Amino acid sequence: MGLRVCIFKVGVTSNPPLRFCEYKKKHYSHMYVICESPSVDKVHMLEAALISEFHKHIGCRNKPDSGGEGALNRTNPVKPPYFVYVVAGRADQCRRAPASHIVELAKAEVADNANPSRAMVDFAKIPLEHAEEGCHEVFLKYGFAAPIEIEKLNLGLGSLSQFPFLKFSSWAQFLLDRGQVPMQMCGCKNLRAMRDVLGEFWERYKALHPNHQLFQIVQGDDERLRRTIPVYSHTDEGRTYKHEALFVLSTHSCLGRGTSSYVLKGKHALPLRRRGLGLNFIGSTWSTHFLSAVLLHEVEKENPGVLAGIVAAYAQDMSSLATHGLSLDSDGDANERIYFQHVGTKGDLPALAKLGSFKRTHSHVARQPQSRTPCQGICYLCLAGQEQSADGRQPSIPWEDTALNPAWAATVDQVLPWDGRAEPVILRGLPIDPTRKARFFLTDIWHNFHLGLSKHFWASSVVSLIERLPLLQAMTIEAAIKHLSDDYSRFWKQRKMNPLEKEINREVLSWPYGRVCPVGKWSKGSTATAFMQWLEDFCTRCVVHQAHDELLLIVEPCH
């Protein structure tokens, strides 16, 4: 397999066959073991040297200046030998590849084939330095790309003066013209079914948000609501091929075809008034989630006003869709218009804090008994975490209060999390609920659990087992941790599955010694799922009907 016709990655491992099985799931087809050594340092040094030499090649999937990281650096690494490997896969399979790589393959095909296709000739003519733009033009020419106009925003000097931006209104008009809005936006077969679903949605929404400005705008016009599609914006941090941080802004409908379970149980076939409306899960995200903009973190850091400019353009577009809508017909008949209501923006807490310019965020949590400047709070929805001021005018409201009637509960929706004179840009011109503005910003419950609550719950549960379960009390702490780790490995081996985190140790518990409060240490949400599934199974086998400790009996039902 030649260097120019493959995608490859350099790595180290102690078990090449097992590692290759993981790569095969990612469509890599070959593995070459190029070095074996009993020294971790030597294999890491060779890995770093190879990445330094080859990372500039188009097909290399290693991040520049990387090498030497990974599982072999654990406190208790697996025993030698250790191996340096290269995995590779052909770039012409159905996987993502850089545009320049496609052009190189096309040039090679035209050089070797006496009768290449017209499309292949067009690809081969593209200059490598303009590969991405050229490929897009060829895709458009042969009908392999949606004809969505790319707007140019003036966000600064140089390339920022022509910043590419996709209006959601352009996506929506494209789907309207093709008759695909009912299915892609509401999971319905036709406009009539879509109107019925939308009418039901807004009736339920009004019961929860009676003060929303949309209901004042329509003034009882139920037919207008039956033509208004609710949508969410979503902000997240992605990664480029070289693993550089990337801000991503996209839009998707609140409604869809549901989930696989929803359909298998026949819930989609229930009468509309008795039906839970379908979530937007089924179907490729390429057809149900619509990109507006991406921005490198490095560019955002060097040009602080760029993100605000992108969000301002997005807000203006969404405001127009909510108030003016889009025409179903070329004559623009007002009775044949479809509207889109931006009901909320989703993201993890750092993304929401950035969009909303929050003064109260989780990063402000006090790390000392008393801060020099009293903390204003750590939650954008309430005043939890607020510290008492020196003059006593600002009361203390502990965020740790988990009583049935905590002090922070009375402060929900009472104080805006941003400066009242500077409303977040994303809200400009948008009909919202003026009594609950902060609730426009929506947290992701799975982010909150998998990368938040579960870390505390799982780690504390494991330590409680070590300290209180009779089976483990008879062992040393190190032996107890190893016993649980072995049990965890057996659990997944029996299910013939391979979780990202291979073992339980002090590092993953963030528990170096007994007086430290444990908290799970992982960065992938699927790890939380794996640990919680094992904990549920372990408690079922070793706690239920076998332990009488009150704390352990509280842990078990939580699953």
Side-chain angles (χ1 to χ4, degrees), residues 21-34:
C21 288
E22 296 174 7
Y23 276 112
K24 287 187 71 175
K25 297 176 183 177
K26 301 177 182 179
H27 292 253
Y28 285 89
S29 57
H30 295 70
M31 173 180 271
Y32 303 93
V33 176
I34 57 179

Side-chain angles (χ1 to χ4, degrees), residues 74-380:
R74 288 176 177 160
T75 306
N76 297 309
V78 294
K79 295 180 180 180
Y82 309 113
F83 304 88
V84 181
Y85 64 83
V86 177
V87 288
R90 287 192 60 86
D92 56 355
Q93 58 181 310
C94 295
R95 301 294 293 172
R96 297 181 185 180
S100 55
H101 206 155
I102 295 174
V103 173
E104 286 185 331
L105 290 174
K107 290 180 183 295
E109 172 67 16
V110 170
D112 296 339
N113 190 341
N115 296 297
S117 67
R118 294 174 63 184
M120 193 64 66
V121 172
D122 287 345
F123 273 119
K125 291 179 180 178
I126 298 171
L128 282 175
E129 58 270 22
H130 301 295
E132 188 166 346
E133 182 179 352
C135 284
H136 189 70
E137 291 176 355
V138 175
F139 288 143
L140 279 173
K141 178 179 178 180
Y142 291 95
F144 292 111
I148 307 297
E149 181 182 359
I150 300 178
E151 303 279 334
K152 301 295 183 181
L153 303 180
N154 185 358
L155 301 177
L157 301 175
S159 60
L160 291 178
S161 65
Q162 294 288 308
F163 189 87
F165 180 78
L166 292 165
K167 285 185 175 180
F168 176 65
S169 57
S170 298
W171 286 111
Q173 189 66 65
F174 169 70
L175 293 176
L176 279 173
D177 294 343
R178 293 172 61 91
Q180 293 179 309
V181 162
M183 179 59 70
Q184 304 309 122
M185 293 288 189
C186 294
C188 300
K189 294 182 178 180
N190 51 52
L191 284 170
R192 180 179 178 181
M194 183 183 80
R195 289 188 176 101
D196 292 340
V197 168
L198 291 176
E200 182 67 22
F201 173 87
W202 288 115
E203 183 178 343
R204 299 180 189 184
Y205 193 85
K206 188 174 183 178
L208 297 173
H209 306 274
N211 298 316
H212 200 286
Q213 291 169 337
L214 173 64
F215 303 117
Q216 299 172 17
I217 293 173
V218 301
Q219 297 180 343
D221 183 0
D222 291 342
E223 185 56 34
R224 162 71 183 272
L225 292 176
R226 285 161 55 86
R227 289 182 281 110
T228 301
I229 299 173
V231 297
Y232 289 127
S233 58
H234 182 220
T235 52
D236 200 359
E237 185 177 278
R239 294 282 169 176
T240 68
Y241 279 119
K242 295 300 181 181
H243 304 282
E244 295 173 294
L246 191 72
F247 171 84
V248 182
L249 175 62
S250 63
T251 311
H252 67 87
S253 174
C254 300
L255 302 171
R257 284 173 272 178
T259 63
S260 298
S261 175
Y262 176 86
V263 173
L264 287 173
K265 293 179 180 179
K267 293 184 178 181
H268 66 296
L270 292 173
L272 185 57
R273 299 291 292 182
R274 294 173 47 207
R275 185 194 315 167
L277 301 182
L279 298 174
N280 192 359
F281 274 77
I282 291 179
S284 169
T285 53
W286 290 103
S287 64
T288 58
H289 293 60
F290 306 97
L291 181 69
S292 284
V294 295
L295 177 67
L296 281 170
H297 178 68
E298 182 180 348
V299 176
E300 178 192 352
K301 189 175 181 180
E302 295 173 354
N303 304 271
V306 171
L307 180 59
I310 294 172
V311 177
Y314 182 82
Q316 183 179 11
D317 187 40
M318 300 308 293
S319 175
S320 176
L321 287 172
T323 54
H324 303 297
L326 297 174
S327 175
L328 272 172
D329 301 315
S330 57
D331 60 7
D333 183 356
N335 292 322
E336 289 296 331
R337 299 187 77 80
I338 297 294
Y339 301 84
F340 296 84
Q341 174 61 47
H342 189 191
V343 297
T345 186
K346 302 192 301 180
D348 58 19
L349 290 174
L352 295 182
K354 185 181 296 184
L355 278 182
S357 301
F358 294 162
K359 297 186 297 182
R360 304 192 306 267
T361 75
H362 64 291
S363 63
H364 294 167
V365 63
R367 291 170 172 78
Q368 299 177 7
Q370 186 63 43
S371 306
R372 291 182 179 178
T373 301
C375 178
Q376 300 298 305
I378 67 170
C379 175
Y380 72 95

Side-chain angles (χ1 to χ4, degrees), residues 390-403:
D391 58 11
R393 293 182 181 180
Q394 177 176 296
S396 174
I397 305 177
W399 63 267
E400 303 94 336
D401 188 352
T402 56

Side-chain angles (χ1 to χ4, degrees), residues 14-51:
S14 62
N15 191 332
L18 182 62
R19 195 79 178 104
F20 183 51
C21 288
E22 296 174 7
Y23 276 112
K24 287 187 71 175
K25 297 176 183 177
K26 301 177 182 179
H27 292 253
Y28 285 89
S29 57
H30 295 70
M31 173 180 271
Y32 303 93
V33 176
I34 57 179
C35 176
E36 175 186 348
S37 173
S39 170
V40 171
D41 293 337
K42 287 183 179 180
V43 295
H44 278 163
M45 186 180 298
L46 178 57
E47 178 192 25
L50 289 171
I51 293 172

Side-chain angles (χ1 to χ4, degrees), residues 2 44 147 236 314 353 371 385 394 469 478 487-488 504 536 538 543:
H44 278 163
D236 200 359
Y314 182 82
S371 306
Q394 177 176 296
L469 190 66
E478 297 303 329
D487 190 89
Y488 170 78
I504 298 173
E536 179 182 17
F538 184 85
V543 175

